[in-house]
Amino acid sequence: MCRDCGCEQGNERAYFEHAHDHHHDHEVESRGHEHHHSHSHDHGPDHTVRVTAGDREIHIHLHVECGCGHEPNGKRPTIKAQTRTIVPLESRILAHNDAEAARNRSFFEARGVVAVNIISSPGSGKTYLLERTLEAIAGRIPTAVITGDQQTDNDAQRLAGKGAAVRQIETRSSCHLSAEQVGHLLEEIVPEGTKLLFIENVGNLVCPAAFDLGESVRVALLSVTEGEDKPLKYPVLFHDAQLTVLTKLDLVPHLDISLEKIRESVRTVRPSAEILEVSAKTGQGMDGWIAYLENLLRPAP
Amino acid sequence: MHELSIAAAMIEQLSEACQAAGATRIVRVDVMVGDLSGVDLEALELAFPMACEGTEAQGALLVAQREPLELLCSECKQVTLPEDVAILCGHCSSTDVEVVRGKTLAIKSMEVL
């Protein structure tokens, strides 16, 4: 076997043709990801060999005994294979985001601010719940809101004029808020004396779950129209969220669903999850949600 | 598809480490992706070559190893490897379990020229 590329044909006397097919197992342990491709070999009299797969040059190596007969001056060809070095890294991929999140967290702790990162699929009622919440706490709890969407400041407009400082982040092509984006706004939007910061993440059940924003508490919203087993289908968010709020409770009579099955799904992926049920439209359950927030603001005993 | 952001974050670290190692090309990258990391392996494999374009890692092979979810029961002290994300001890059915593995999202090593 060729020690450079691992192909079976390398270094065998039978290797006269300068093109061959071979089969790589790329060692993706859990997935058995395999490739089959052809190599064409092209070399000059010095036996430096360019190995290509499709249009991409993979590496440079030399079949010493390729049998081509090109041995200039009767000498053995010189091996010019480049040395590969393995560099151990053991680094967290999101180290940069995590560092920014830690900075945000320190900011919140220093100012005594509770930051609530609200994550849900689009259309589950984040903005509407926040509208009703801001109205309920106006004048009582100094509050700021950062709201993320790919485009438009529609949500910021809906939330403006309700007693809280509101800022929109348009993420453009990005499907989540990053700790850095949030961090840039904190000095401006969270002045001294602010007690509560809502971060309304981009509507998406999957992507925002991977990014710590430095929040004090992560809240998942799940509208009752979304299906009883959604937490099982998208477990990462519901596993990480300390609280899941079931929204649009007023629609339950029109649906063929069981609230108990939804609760079971949430508790399967997070047994300790708190679960609240609200209708921002009728006000049902809003007292419990406001009480939950007020409880977060109480200093730990 | 936040995996492109993830891949871009990888390239940033890899480029830096490649230069620090005095190398010019990255030919292979080994990563560990936990089942509860929030990153989809297939999407990452799709996004990685895009993020590599025009960098030292162009054409690099991504070798992604999955880290399965592993739970340690606080009551019976046994380990469970659940198939799906069910936070429950497979031995005594306690829900008082700790997630000991499955959240990793890390670059293990790279191979450079």
Side-chain angles (χ1 to χ4, degrees):
Chain A
M1 182 192 280
C2 164
R3 66 188 172 86
D4 286 316
C5 76
C7 64
E8 292 297 332
Q9 290 91 335
N11 284 359
E12 282 181 5
R13 274 289 172 195
Y15 186 67
F16 284 91
E17 287 204 8
H18 288 144
H20 66 247
D21 285 339
H22 78 200
H23 188 265
H24 275 299
D25 183 340
H26 278 178
E27 295 176 40
V28 181
E29 290 173 25
S30 64
R31 312 183 78 81
H33 181 70
E34 293 179 346
H35 285 273
H36 185 270
H37 58 218
S38 62
H39 279 182
S40 64
H41 288 195
D42 171 24
H43 68 76
D46 67 351
H47 275 76
T48 299
V49 181
R50 294 158 61 83
V51 181
T52 57
D55 59 354
R56 185 172 286 170
E57 187 179 326
I58 298 291
H59 55 203
I60 297 170
H61 75 161
L62 184 68
H63 289 288
V64 180
E65 297 180 17
C66 70
C68 68
H70 290 160
E71 292 190 6
N73 308 323
K75 291 179 187 164
R76 300 283 301 173
T78 311
I79 294 175
K80 285 194 174 175
Q82 285 179 269
T83 317
R84 288 171 171 225
T85 312
I86 294 175
V87 182
L89 290 168
E90 296 292 342
S91 61
R92 283 176 301 128
I93 291 172
L94 288 174
H96 176 73
N97 186 77
D98 290 350
E100 294 290 333
R103 200 206 298 248
N104 293 349
R105 197 163 272 125
S106 303
F107 177 94
F108 298 139
E109 281 166 11
R111 295 236 166 141
V113 176
V114 169
V116 182
N117 182 5
I118 302 179
I119 305 177
S120 78
S121 46
S124 62
K126 290 185 294 300
T127 311
Y128 193 49
L129 177 66
L130 279 179
E131 282 183 76
R132 294 286 163 263
T133 306
L134 293 182
E135 287 163 8
I137 63 177
R140 286 198 294 133
I141 304 171
T143 303
V145 183
I146 292 172
T147 177
D149 279 298
Q150 288 202 320
Q151 286 189 29
T152 82
D153 63 350
N154 292 353
D155 282 2
Q157 288 186 34
R158 281 173 60 184
L159 295 165
K162 295 185 189 295
V166 181
R167 185 68 75 242
Q168 179 85 43
I169 296 176
E170 286 184 56
T171 61
R172 297 290 165 185
S173 60
S174 179
C175 46
H176 60 273
L177 288 176
S178 69
E180 192 172 6
Q181 286 172 320
V182 170
H184 283 154
L185 291 180
L186 291 181
E187 278 295 347
E188 175 197 341
I189 197 92
V190 187
E192 286 285 354
T194 305
K195 290 291 171 208
L196 188 58
L197 170 68
F198 291 112
I199 304 167
E200 182 188 342
N201 221 311
V202 179
N204 183 324
L205 269 183
V206 181
C207 310
F211 295 84
D212 183 10
L213 302 181
E215 68 266 20
S216 326
V217 59
R218 181 170 292 196
V219 176
L221 259 57
L222 176 62
S223 65
V224 294
T225 56
E226 288 178 61
E228 294 160 337
D229 57 352
K230 203 150 198 183
L232 305 178
K233 292 173 175 168
Y234 300 90
V236 177
L237 169 63
F238 293 96
H239 173 77
D240 287 336
Q242 288 93 338
L243 170 70
T244 291
V245 181
L246 306 184
T247 61
K248 307 190 186 180
L249 202 58
D250 53 289
L251 294 179
V252 171
H254 308 286
L255 302 168
D256 191 15
I257 56 138
S258 150
L259 282 175
E260 190 44 41
K261 280 192 182 157
I262 302 178
R263 291 185 206 111
E264 270 174 32
S265 298
V266 174
R267 293 201 169 110
T268 297
V269 299
R270 185 181 176 96
S272 65
E274 287 199 57
I275 301 173
L276 293 173
E277 290 143 26
V278 304
S279 165
K281 187 182 170 78
T282 66
Q284 188 185 354
M286 284 297 285
D287 288 353
W289 161 240
I290 301 295
Y292 177 88
L293 296 170
E294 285 172 337
N295 195 42
L296 290 177
L297 297 174
R298 282 197 196 99
Chain B
M1 182 64 181
H2 59 303
E3 281 75 9
L4 196 54
S5 306
I6 303 285
M10 284 173 61
I11 295 299
E12 208 171 290
Q13 291 183 23
L14 291 167
S15 288
E16 215 169 274
C18 179
Q19 284 160 28
T24 53
R25 246 183 91 206
I26 300 164
V27 290
R28 171 178 167 142
V29 180
D30 283 73
V31 294
M32 177 83 87
V33 179
D35 280 358
L36 264 186
S37 68
V39 169
D40 182 73
L41 267 187
E42 279 176 30
L44 184 62
E45 283 168 348
L46 199 69
F48 184 72
M50 297 183 214
C52 288
E53 284 293 322
T55 74
E56 297 95 327
Q58 190 160 336
L61 171 69
L62 178 70
V63 181
Q65 191 186 344
R66 179 180 153 239
E67 182 188 67
L69 179 60
E70 189 177 313
L71 308 172
L72 176 66
C73 180
S74 306
E75 290 185 17
C76 73
K77 311 291 178 201
Q78 295 200 72
V79 167
T80 302
L81 293 160
E83 294 237 329
D84 299 313
V85 181
I87 308 300
L88 180 77
C89 176
H91 306 280
C92 72
S93 298
S94 168
T95 54
D96 188 6
V97 292
E98 188 195 345
V99 175
V100 286
R101 272 162 58 85
K103 291 194 164 188
T104 303
L105 182 59
I107 305 172
K108 307 302 286 177
S109 63
M110 65 174 180
E111 223 170 295
V112 294
L113 291 178

